[in-house]
Amino acid sequence: MTALLQPGANVLAAILADGWYCGHVAHLPRQQYGDRPKLLAQVAIEYDDGTTETIPTDAAWKTDTGPLRRADLLMGEFYDALLEQPGWDAPGHDDRWWKPVETFPAPESVQLVARRGPPVRATQELTPAAAPTPCNDLPEGYRGFLYDLRENMVGVVRLRLRGPRGQTVRLRYGERLDADGSLYTANLRKARATDHYTLKGGGEETYEGRFTFHGFQYVEVATAHGTLEAAPEVTGIVWHSDTPPTGEFSCSDPLVSQLQRNIQRSQRGNFLEVPTDCPQRDERLGWTGDAQAFVGTAAFNMDVAAFFTKWQDDLADAQKPNGAIPPLVPHCCLGSDGGPAWADAVLICPWTMYRVYGDKEILRGHYGTFERFMDYLVATSPDRLRCGRSHSGPEAWSELNETDGRACFGDWLALDGSPNSFGGTVKGLIGTAFFSHSALLLARIAAVLGRKADARKYRQLAGEVRAAFNRAYVGPDGLVLPEARTQTAHVLALSFDLLPESAREGAAAALVADIAARGNHLSTGFVGRPYIAHVLTGAGRADVAFALLHQKSWPSWLYAVTQGATSIWERWDGWTQEKGFQSVGMNSFNHYAYGAI
């Protein structure tokens, strides 16, 4: 900060707001991690003679409230320009009425560390597609304008406007428009996603949020019982963690080119401090299953080495004493065990970082975390069956889908109509497949780090789980049992090399037949989706992989593109011409997981 110093007095100042620490998180009440915002900072001075001095945050500081009346990631900001104190952060400001700060002891059992990951930056500015249109659904006395920023973005807006002193402007955000052309906000659930700005009057004013963020394409700017001199000027400011793009892609098919742009846009919008699931509703959480499904695509698109290195620290922090990895990291709710394909992110993500960047440190630094996780899987998987009880004979088949009290989200949002679980594919099959896969990854990690004995141990474990998979879920013909036969079941069995070599061709043929029977449509959910194109290509059926890619009716990658989507949807049928919007309970239009192609 040397270059920022000026001769004479200097001031170090800060603005505090709730943020992740004590604001709203997901659907939960405020103050999940702390009861109020706190600041810990210091200035380290090194003089020419080699002596040093440290100026810390201590009881000598002073505090006051300012124009920022409310600031919450989910609910939005309220900025009252009438309460501004010009020069508050400069030498000579009259702070006689400011209050002493309250100091706190160092937190117990918490290690405070410097930032590990890349900072969030403003990387792009978007202007509306056309002049704003008058809003047609405002409460009585309101007048407002609707702006279309052309793409489903994440960040804030810069608002330039003129109006009378004390006039308050309300900003609301939405990803889509309703059938009547009004702003669609039902899918935000409890997130208000609303900002307010009170003008000080006397000329052009500018407001740009800094302690909230929104996921939106459309912005509604309205005033109550007042008027503005003209329609405000709105600019979208795109935010995301600083993960530079690694290259560009385009091809002769404009829909596929647009799909790639949508994938990148959803990655930017959801890589904001942590890999979140969605940026708009009352969630915005670090779902481990989404991250592991997408991590390979993420590294193809952008430099995510620092981003995932930091998040691996978060995974280690969230690990429970018994070795379990929660479904949400940073952890706030929904139990301690994320279950198959979710908890396995603790191995899949760092292994991908090593494969892409050659970084052994992320493997070496977290090897203890890996071992504890594998010990947990061994301890909670009787007869090497994860999320499925040991059984003997067809009469016990229903037991294979029980989770024994542990989490198992199944093949999330699958569309195969199987009655066995919410996600289609039998949960025990998914669990045991990922158990074998993770054990084999840990064997490979051990080999990379020169731990030969561990490599042998975990390779043997992977083999034992593979054998258990075949006993439980594979018939004498080498194919997955008819009761468990889904696209995802075939994909995992082939991708994780769980079948006898003699059965691989037949399993691939069964997968192709299922796809053909569905008219070249997908039925896989989050779990099978990232692997299906690789499996088909590896089986010599790239023609089927391309048929799936170029499919334009849902469920498919291109359906949303044909409907004007500029990001990846959470559901293939987030909106359809036949039914309109999907359930408001879970219908994000910016979810990167299905972008893993």
Side-chain angles (χ1 to χ4, degrees):
M1 57 179 287
T2 305
L4 300 175
L5 295 177
Q6 300 175 359
N10 286 268
V11 170
L12 180 64
I15 304 174
L16 294 186
D18 293 354
W20 300 92
Y21 183 64
C22 61
H24 285 90
V25 175
H27 59 283
L28 304 171
R30 297 175 63 252
Q31 301 169 313
Q32 288 297 307
Y33 300 103
D35 64 345
R36 73 196 79 184
K38 298 173 184 176
L39 175 68
L40 178 65
Q42 68 181 31
V43 177
I45 305 171
E46 182 177 338
Y47 293 100
D48 288 339
D49 63 3
T51 59
T52 60
E53 180 182 2
T54 299
I55 302 175
T57 44
D58 56 22
W61 284 55
K62 302 180 77 172
T63 182
D64 197 14
T65 54
L68 197 64
R69 307 304 296 160
R70 182 183 73 238
D72 187 272
L73 295 181
L74 304 182
M75 302 305 174
E77 281 190 5
F78 194 145
Y79 188 97
D80 186 348
L82 295 174
L83 300 178
E84 290 180 345
Q85 299 183 35
W88 71 274
D89 55 352
H93 181 68
D94 183 1
D95 62 1
R96 287 175 295 173
W97 311 112
W98 287 36
K99 302 176 183 66
V101 295
E102 183 176 355
T103 58
F104 300 87
E108 298 180 2
S109 305
V110 173
Q111 181 182 7
L112 297 173
V113 298
R115 174 189 291 277
R116 294 292 305 274
V120 174
R121 300 190 189 280
T123 62
Q124 190 179 2
E125 296 190 2
L126 302 177
T127 56
T133 57
C135 297
N136 58 12
D137 66 331
L138 296 176
E140 184 177 354
Y142 273 79
R143 178 172 177 265
F145 303 92
L146 188 64
Y147 298 78
D148 178 0
L149 289 170
R150 298 181 291 176
E151 61 184 60
N152 197 9
M153 59 161 283
V154 175
V156 295
V157 299
R158 181 185 301 132
L159 186 68
R160 286 195 174 96
L161 70 169
R162 293 174 180 268
R165 179 179 176 83
Q167 177 72 61
T168 297
V169 177
R170 185 189 73 178
L171 297 90
R172 295 199 308 152
Y173 303 84
E175 298 179 289
R176 305 273 293 184
L177 297 181
D178 223 327
D180 62 358
S182 61
L183 192 69
Y184 179 72
T185 60
N187 68 327
L188 301 183
R189 302 192 302 213
K190 293 182 180 179
R192 288 196 296 271
T194 302
D195 298 329
H196 292 86
Y197 177 78
T198 299
L199 289 90
K200 56 190 172 186
E204 183 177 87
E205 302 179 39
T206 301
Y207 164 69
E208 184 174 328
R210 68 168 81 189
F211 290 112
T212 187
F213 71 92
H214 308 288
F216 62 99
Q217 179 172 339
Y218 300 93
V219 186
E220 177 192 275
V221 181
T223 56
H225 307 291
T227 183
L228 300 174
E229 295 181 14
E233 177 185 319
V234 169
T235 304
I237 311 298
V238 176
W239 285 4
H240 63 94
S241 290
D242 190 4
T243 50
T246 53
E248 298 177 355
F249 169 86
S250 63
C251 69
S252 57
D253 186 331
L255 292 179
V256 174
S257 296
Q258 181 64 43
L259 171 65
Q260 171 64 4
R261 289 192 290 270
N262 293 359
I263 293 168
Q264 291 173 311
R265 189 170 292 113
S266 285
Q267 178 174 339
R268 286 196 301 267
N270 283 292
F271 277 27
L272 203 154
E273 287 290 356
V274 298
T276 60
D277 59 325
C278 60
Q280 73 295 95
R281 69 188 181 211
D282 59 343
E283 195 163 351
R284 314 185 196 189
L285 297 171
W287 281 97
T288 50
D290 300 49
Q292 69 82 16
F294 189 74
V295 63
T297 299
F300 173 78
N301 289 332
M302 301 176 190
D303 180 354
V304 295
F307 182 81
F308 272 99
T309 297
K310 182 267 182 188
W311 194 59
Q312 193 68 28
D313 290 342
D314 294 341
L315 285 163
D317 288 344
Q319 187 174 39
K320 303 307 172 184
N322 64 357
I325 299 293
L328 301 168
V329 174
H331 190 217
C332 65
C333 51
L334 290 184
S336 61
D337 178 10
W342 272 253
D344 299 271
V346 74
L347 281 161
I348 294 172
C349 292
W351 177 249
T352 303
M353 292 302 100
Y354 168 72
R355 287 182 55 231
V356 175
Y357 302 107
D359 178 17
K360 293 183 182 180
E361 290 308 309
I362 194 171
L363 306 180
R364 185 177 290 112
H366 291 282
Y367 193 78
T369 301
F370 305 154
E371 288 185 302
R372 288 189 293 274
F373 174 62
M374 195 55 57
D375 289 345
Y376 172 77
L377 294 189
V378 170
T380 57
S381 303
D383 295 333
R384 301 296 193 245
L385 294 172
R386 182 183 180 191
C387 287
R389 295 188 180 130
S390 179
H391 74 297
S392 57
E395 68 279 0
W397 175 260
S398 61
E399 295 184 351
L400 290 175
N401 204 40
E402 297 295 329
T403 62
D404 295 332
R406 295 184 299 280
C408 187
F409 292 101
D411 190 16
W412 190 254
L413 292 181
L415 296 170
D416 55 19
S418 168
N420 287 320
S421 70
F422 176 82
T425 303
V426 171
K427 293 179 179 180
L429 183 150
I430 295 173
T432 308
F434 271 89
F435 186 5
S436 176
H437 181 57
S438 285
L440 188 57
L441 289 185
L442 187 48
R444 291 170 178 167
I445 289 170
V448 167
L449 298 179
R451 296 172 174 260
K452 296 181 180 179
D454 281 359
R456 288 193 295 272
K457 179 178 74 172
Y458 292 121
R459 196 173 294 112
Q460 178 180 340
L461 175 61
E464 293 172 3
V465 178
R466 183 177 187 264
F469 179 92
N470 278 269
R471 287 195 301 271
Y473 304 111
V474 179
D477 58 357
L479 299 179
V480 173
L481 291 172
E483 302 94 320
R485 202 168 289 173
T486 62
Q487 287 184 10
T488 289
H490 292 306
V491 166
L492 294 183
L494 290 165
S495 183
F496 295 168
D497 195 21
L498 298 173
L499 299 176
E501 184 64 33
S502 59
R504 291 183 63 83
E505 184 176 344
L511 172 61
V512 169
D514 187 285
I515 294 170
R518 299 175 187 276
N520 286 334
H521 287 93
L522 298 154
S523 70
T524 55
F526 275 33
V527 171
R529 196 66 38 71
Y531 305 102
I532 191 166
H534 297 285
V535 165
L536 290 168
T537 305
R541 296 307 306 266
D543 59 322
V544 180
F546 274 105
L548 289 175
L549 173 62
H550 288 287
Q551 177 62 256
K552 296 180 181 64
S553 58
W554 80 273
S556 70
W557 279 285
L558 292 186
Y559 174 73
V561 180
T562 67
Q563 302 306 306
T566 59
S567 53
I568 301 299
W569 295 354
E570 179 177 23
R571 296 173 176 266
W572 294 132
D573 58 343
W575 183 90
T576 63
Q577 295 172 333
E578 298 80 16
K579 298 180 180 180
F581 290 109
Q582 247 281 8
S583 166
V584 298
M586 195 176 76
N587 194 25
S588 160
F589 290 95
N590 197 344
H591 240 76
Y592 59 68
Y594 278 173
I597 166 64

